[in-house]
């Protein structure tokens, strides 16, 4: 049964109490619906879900839709252009807020800040739009410092009063892995001088912050592959690392969405350009342990690229709200989940050394390509903004590809040598197995011989037992014969003694008679 089928008996008046833990539920909403889309931006403020922009059939959308989570009703948000100084510019909201996709949105005070994204309105540098939630005014924030180049598909995370921007894809399709910070108090940009090996250039990844110190980056895509690696940037030491990960092994994905709730990072949707990611993941940020929270069918809207997810406090409990996405068709459905209060996540499978080495090899290859060839010619204009030389950029792109090819060939050679070593080990193991098999066969033959010998000994013991039983009978016969012999000898002795007495009496009697006659 699909998630939509399970909502036929849904009671909109008391829906928060009907939700089971860790299961996605489709919210049936009547009336107006926003256009289906993906690669939009979403945020929840005061139990209202704001959906801004997105893409559909290659067209960038500019409308802003609001879902009231209390009565489950959509409504469009009409914006007004805020004046600059004393002059009110005569522009529509679409002029100030054009159609855009692949952008990021963060709540700051009473405003929604929108950074980056792709649109038909070109810009050399990263633009920061804002929407005032109280006045419904909108505009562009003026920033200073070293403003990053324009991009889309980047990650933007609020850490304290700074926005941390990582990666993305330039309008010329150049992939980025640089990192910048925007101080929201001074509206000043600053590139972060990080050390150690950064993640490979990517876009459509996700990022989260843990303990207000560690920036965690997961997944994303290059132009040829999707990633499932996880990188951590210590915002104090500005050092990148790729730590050992515990728990379930997760599939590569891009275009997914993530939200951090009390140290647990929920990852929803995404895909690998062939199929959508059907499992909803959760990462214990304190232990860096993955686990699969729930799984849906591959064609469910949740298993989509370009989906959004937000956290919302409804009825005193935290919920996840997902909207939109593309998995073969665009959708505009809303799904909700009530995550179970999480204890410690038990790790299941430690990442193997081979997997860690492979991930490190890919990262090192991209890092080498960047350090050796992705050093694009970036200059600054009079305002301190970055400006690129297109010709040098093209030359550096070609050099980067050549360098990446060399690194890939070297990596393949290393893998080939490692495979050869593994084959030798396998052959050695096979030889050892053959020898052990021979020894086992010899021992089995010895056991058969010993078993035969035991059978013979048991037969001899049986015969001896029979002999012993016959000897016992003979002993009884001998005892009887000895007793009979003793009785005969005693009788013979008595007869001999009687005869001797009779002989002695006649002699004396004859002597006595002779004397008398005389």
């Amino acid at each position: 049964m699909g998630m939509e089928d399970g909502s036929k008996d849904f009671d909109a008046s008391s829906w928060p109490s009907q939700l089971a833990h860790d299961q996605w539920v489709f919210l049936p909403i009547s009336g107006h619906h926003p256009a289906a889309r993906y690669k939009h931006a979403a945020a929840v403020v005061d139990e209202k879900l704001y959906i801004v922009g997105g893409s559909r059939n290659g067209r960038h959308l500019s409308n802003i839709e609001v879902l009231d989570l209390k009565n489950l009703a959509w409504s469009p948000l009409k914006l007004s252009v805020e004046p600059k100084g004393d002059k009110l510019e005569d522009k529509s909201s679409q002029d100030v807020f054009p159609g855009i996709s692949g952008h990021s949105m963060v709540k700051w005070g009473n405003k929604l800040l929108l950074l980056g994204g792709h649109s038909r309105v070109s810009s050399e540098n990263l633009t920061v739009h804002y929407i005032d939630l109280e006045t419904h005014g909108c505009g562009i924030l003026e920033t200073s410092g070293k403003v990053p180049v324009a991009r889309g598909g980047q990650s933007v995370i609020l850490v304290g009063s700074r926005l941390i921007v990582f990666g993305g894809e330039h309008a010329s399709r150049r992939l980025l892995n640089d990192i910048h910070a925007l101080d929201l108090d001074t509206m000043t940009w600053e590139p972060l001088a990080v050390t150690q090996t950064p993640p490979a250039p990517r876009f459509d990844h996700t990022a989260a912050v843990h303990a207000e110190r560690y920036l965690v980056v997961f997944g994303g895509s290059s132009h040829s592959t999707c990633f499932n690696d996880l990188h951590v940037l210590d915002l104090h030491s500005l050092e990148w690392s790729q730590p050992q990960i515990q728990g379930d092994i997760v599939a590569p994905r891009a275009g997914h969405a993530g939200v951090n709730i009390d140290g647990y990072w929920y990852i929803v949707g995404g895909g690998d350009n062939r199929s959508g990611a059907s499992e909803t993941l959760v990462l214990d940020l304190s232990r860096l342990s993955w686990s699969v929270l729930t799984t849906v069918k591959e064609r469910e809207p949740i298993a989509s690229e370009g989906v959004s997810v937000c956290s919302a406090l409804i009825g005193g409990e935290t919920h996840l709200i997902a909207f939109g996405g593309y998995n073969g068709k665009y959708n505009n459905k809303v799904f909700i989940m009530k995550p179970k209060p999480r204890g410690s996540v038990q790790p299941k499978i430690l990442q193997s050394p081979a997997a860690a080495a492979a991930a490190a090899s890919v990262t090192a290859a991209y890092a080498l390509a960047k350090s050796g060839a992705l050093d694009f010619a970036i200059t600054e204009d009079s305002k301190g903004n970055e400006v690129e030389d297109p010709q040098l950029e093209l030359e550096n792109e070609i050099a980067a590809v050549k360098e990446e090819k060399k690194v890939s060939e070297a990596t393949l050679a290393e893998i080939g040598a490692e495979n050869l070593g593994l084959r030798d080990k396998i052959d050695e193991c096979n030889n050892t197995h053959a020898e052990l098999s021979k020894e086992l066969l010899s021992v089995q033959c010895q056991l058969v011989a010993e078993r035969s010998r035991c059978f013979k000994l048991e037969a001899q013991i049986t015969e001896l037992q029979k002999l012993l039983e016959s000897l016992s009978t003979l002993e009884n016969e001998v005892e009887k014969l000895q007793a009979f012999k003793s009785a005969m000898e005693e009788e013979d002795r008595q007869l001999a003694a009687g005869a001797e007495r009779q002989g002695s009496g006649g002699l004396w009697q004859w002597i006595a008679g002779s004397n008398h006659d005389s």
Side-chain angles (χ1 to χ4, degrees):
M1 178 182 293
M3 291 182 291
E4 297 179 43
D5 297 333
S7 62
K8 291 180 180 178
D9 299 327
F10 192 86
D11 184 359
S13 63
S14 60
W15 63 267
S17 62
Q18 302 176 40
L19 301 179
H21 285 107
D22 296 343
Q23 296 295 326
W24 286 109
V25 176
F26 167 63
L27 287 182
I29 301 172
S30 58
H32 166 75
H33 281 73
R37 68 194 69 197
Y38 84 134
K39 290 191 175 183
H40 51 279
V44 171
V45 182
D46 297 332
E47 295 192 41
K48 291 183 178 180
L49 173 66
Y50 291 82
I51 301 297
V52 180
S55 177
R56 177 186 174 89
N57 296 326
R59 182 170 60 91
H60 303 298
L61 305 179
S62 61
N63 61 322
I64 300 171
E65 302 282 348
V66 183
L67 174 63
D68 191 327
L69 296 172
K70 295 179 181 178
N71 56 25
L72 298 183
W74 283 105
S75 62
L77 180 64
K78 296 182 179 180
L79 300 179
S80 62
V81 182
E82 293 198 340
K84 292 185 178 181
D86 295 332
K87 181 180 179 182
L88 178 62
E89 298 184 1
D90 185 16
K91 293 183 178 180
S92 67
S93 62
Q94 290 187 357
D95 293 330
V96 176
F97 200 86
I100 191 172
S101 66
H103 50 296
S104 304
M105 186 163 66
V106 177
K107 181 181 180 296
W108 174 250
N110 64 339
K111 293 182 173 64
L112 294 177
L113 305 183
L114 294 96
L115 289 83
H118 298 298
S119 70
R120 292 185 178 181
V121 180
S122 62
S123 173
E124 289 295 326
N125 300 309
L126 196 64
T127 303
V128 181
H129 289 87
Y130 74 89
I131 299 172
D132 192 311
L133 297 177
E134 294 179 355
T135 66
H136 293 176
C138 65
I140 298 177
L141 293 176
E142 294 291 338
T143 60
S144 60
K146 295 184 177 180
V147 183
V149 296
R151 66 194 68 198
Q154 70 289 319
S155 61
V156 177
I157 294 296
L158 179 64
V159 183
S161 61
R162 296 195 304 169
L163 290 179
I164 307 298
V165 179
F166 170 75
E169 182 185 32
H170 189 266
S172 63
R173 298 205 69 199
R174 176 166 63 90
L175 297 179
L176 304 167
N177 66 345
D178 53 348
I179 188 163
H180 301 261
L182 175 61
D183 189 324
L184 295 175
D185 293 330
T186 62
M187 298 307 295
T188 303
W189 284 102
E190 176 190 8
L192 299 185
V194 296
T195 59
Q196 305 303 324
T197 304
R202 65 190 64 201
F203 70 108
D204 285 354
H205 52 279
T206 50
V209 64
H210 178 57
E212 293 296 306
R213 173 173 178 174
Y214 301 101
L215 179 72
V216 185
V217 175
F218 167 66
S221 175
S222 68
H223 293 147
S224 59
T225 186
C226 292
F227 303 105
N228 66 344
D229 52 355
L230 189 141
H231 299 261
V232 177
L233 175 65
D234 188 330
L235 295 173
H236 289 183
S237 65
L238 295 182
E239 290 183 348
W240 281 108
S241 63
Q242 190 174 8
Q244 185 75 27
I245 307 301
Q246 302 183 75
D248 295 336
I249 297 175
V250 299
R253 68 196 63 203
H256 48 289
V259 60
N260 181 5
I261 301 177
D262 298 329
Y264 289 88
W265 193 18
Y266 295 85
I267 301 295
V268 180
D272 58 3
N273 295 323
R274 293 183 298 274
S275 61
S278 58
E279 67 273 14
T280 297
L281 307 172
V282 60
L283 176 68
D284 182 343
L285 288 170
S286 63
R287 301 173 59 194
L288 294 181
S289 176
W290 284 113
S291 59
V292 176
L293 189 63
T294 187
T295 303
V296 300
K297 296 178 181 179
E298 287 187 1
R299 287 299 179 182
E300 293 284 2
I302 290 295
S304 298
E305 296 184 37
V307 67
S308 65
V309 65
C310 303
S311 62
L313 190 64
I314 304 173
E317 293 187 279
T318 301
H319 296 72
L320 300 181
I321 309 290
F323 172 80
Y326 176 80
N327 61 355
K329 66 176 182 178
Y330 300 94
N331 79 81
N332 61 351
K333 295 179 174 60
V334 179
F335 292 87
I336 190 166
M337 172 192 287
K338 181 168 64 175
K340 182 187 302 181
R342 315 225 77 79
S344 58
V345 179
Q346 296 295 328
K348 296 181 180 179
I349 305 172
L350 292 178
Q351 186 184 35
S352 67
S361 175
V362 171
T363 303
Y366 277 101
L368 181 59
K370 181 181 186 303
S371 62
L374 290 179
D375 188 15
F376 294 99
I378 300 177
T379 59
E380 296 182 0
D381 59 15
S382 59
K383 295 182 180 181
N385 297 331
E386 297 177 356
V387 181
E388 301 183 47
D389 187 335
Q391 181 63 32
L392 289 177
E393 181 180 344
L394 178 59
E395 293 176 357
N396 287 333
E397 284 279 4
I398 295 173
V401 172
K402 291 181 179 179
E403 186 64 29
E404 185 176 346
K405 178 183 177 183
K406 292 179 181 179
V407 173
S408 299
E409 289 174 348
T411 303
L412 287 174
E414 292 177 1
I415 293 173
E418 183 178 352
N419 287 340
L420 184 60
L422 290 174
R423 288 194 189 97
D424 292 339
K425 290 182 179 180
I426 291 172
D427 292 339
E428 183 180 351
C429 291
N430 288 336
N431 293 333
T432 303
H433 176 71
E435 293 177 359
L436 291 175
S437 297
K438 291 179 181 178
E439 292 183 7
L440 177 62
L441 183 61
S442 176
V443 170
Q444 288 175 340
C445 293
Q446 293 178 8
L447 287 174
V448 172
E450 290 296 326
R451 190 176 293 110
S452 178
R453 181 184 174 191
C454 288
F455 289 155
K456 291 179 180 179
L457 289 175
E458 288 176 355
Q460 293 177 358
I461 290 171
T462 303
E463 292 178 358
L464 290 174
Q465 287 176 342
K466 292 180 180 180
L467 289 175
L468 287 174
E469 291 176 357
S470 62
L471 285 176
S472 177
T473 305
L474 291 174
E475 286 178 354
N476 292 333
E477 293 293 333
V478 169
E479 288 178 357
K480 292 179 180 179
L481 290 173
Q482 288 179 345
F484 180 74
K485 179 181 178 183
S486 298
M488 294 297 293
E489 289 178 348
E490 182 63 27
E491 185 178 354
D492 289 342
R493 283 197 299 270
Q494 290 179 358
L495 292 173
E500 185 178 355
R501 286 195 298 269
Q502 291 177 1
S504 297
L507 177 62
W508 286 105
Q509 190 176 19
W510 177 75
I511 293 174
S514 299
N515 290 335
H516 181 74
D517 291 336
S518 310

